[in-house]
Amino acid sequence: WGMNAPFLGLGSSYASQSHITVPTQLGTDTNWKTAAAGFGFFLAVKNDNTLWAWGGGDNGQLGNGTTTSSPLPIQIGTATDWETVEADSQSSFAIKTDGTLWAWGRNINGQLGNGTQTNLFIPTQITTTSDWQAISTGSVTTSSALKTDGSLYSWGSNEFGTLGDGTYVNQLSPLRINSCDLDTEDFDKNQKANLYPNPVQNNLF
């Protein structure tokens, strides 16, 4: 539901409606796992870990190798190892089940993280590492991601200091953001500490 421009993916029978004001089922499939919305386009992963996209594609954000829009969900490539997707206004991101990071679409401020400012029309691996855990995007073409070791990386536009590196300089590739890294040796053994949640898994508060 929402603005139906260029396409919400509901097909030609809804083409004349500029807005869909109630939740409306998209097709008949019942095997969608996760989805993300950009500005006028959408990404989704099914339970079989296939990647799908629809809506506007003027900057290659659908990942179908063109700048052509799609009124209905189309499968992107044939890979069956996609885990999660994320989108900003006209850029697309995904993490595969093997922990690799992928991006495509608009790249005006280097928000795709491939070291250039050139748009990408198909999913392209970003860095050679395979320990990416989560990615988030911002409205000012800034991208941030976490690795499995808890380290934070960011790249893209830094106009307002949004990268967190203490500068206003754009970054075209993932940049590790310095933080307080503590090892067990750094804690005072004479001080009492309460851990929450217990047992601790990913986060320590």
Side-chain angles (χ1 to χ4, degrees):
W1 61 98
M3 186 176 180
N4 193 30
F7 307 107
L8 277 176
L10 296 171
S12 58
S13 59
Y14 291 88
S16 62
Q17 299 184 40
S18 60
H19 296 83
I20 308 298
T21 58
V22 296
T24 305
Q25 185 172 345
L26 191 157
T28 59
D29 290 347
T30 58
N31 60 341
W32 300 103
K33 181 170 70 170
T34 187
F39 186 77
F41 77 101
F42 304 87
L43 307 170
V45 175
K46 287 190 173 184
N47 289 332
D48 61 3
N49 293 325
T50 54
L51 175 64
W52 297 73
W54 63 96
D58 51 328
N59 284 286
Q61 61 266 42
L62 297 188
N64 62 352
T66 73
T67 56
T68 303
S69 300
S70 177
L72 293 171
I74 55 172
Q75 186 175 347
I76 305 303
T78 59
T80 57
D81 57 353
W82 299 101
E83 178 67 24
T84 186
V85 286
E86 182 62 88
D88 70 7
S89 59
Q90 294 178 313
S91 308
S92 303
F93 304 86
I95 295 176
K96 285 191 172 186
T97 55
D98 63 0
T100 55
L101 175 64
W102 299 71
W104 59 99
R106 193 171 189 237
N107 198 24
I108 187 172
N109 287 313
Q111 64 265 37
L112 298 185
N114 70 331
T116 77
Q117 292 175 276
T118 303
N119 292 355
L120 297 174
F121 302 116
I122 60 172
T124 302
Q125 186 173 347
I126 306 302
T127 77
T128 59
T129 59
S130 56
D131 54 352
W132 298 100
Q133 180 177 355
I135 184 166
S136 178
T137 61
S139 60
V140 290
T141 62
T142 298
S143 306
S144 299
L146 285 174
K147 288 197 171 187
T148 54
D149 64 359
S151 57
L152 173 66
Y153 289 74
S154 61
W155 60 96
S157 173
N158 201 16
E159 181 180 1
F160 304 106
T162 47
L163 296 186
D165 65 343
T167 76
Y168 296 99
V169 179
N170 292 357
Q171 295 291 334
L172 305 183
S173 300
L175 173 71
R176 180 167 181 170
I177 303 305
N178 292 329
S179 59
C180 180
D181 296 321
L182 292 178
D183 190 84
T184 54
E185 297 289 335
D186 298 316
F187 286 98
D188 186 346
K189 297 178 181 178
N190 295 320
Q191 296 296 320
K192 180 180 178 181
N194 294 316
L195 298 182
Y196 180 82
N198 191 5
V200 174
Q201 293 182 352
N202 294 324
N203 301 301
L204 173 61
F205 298 98

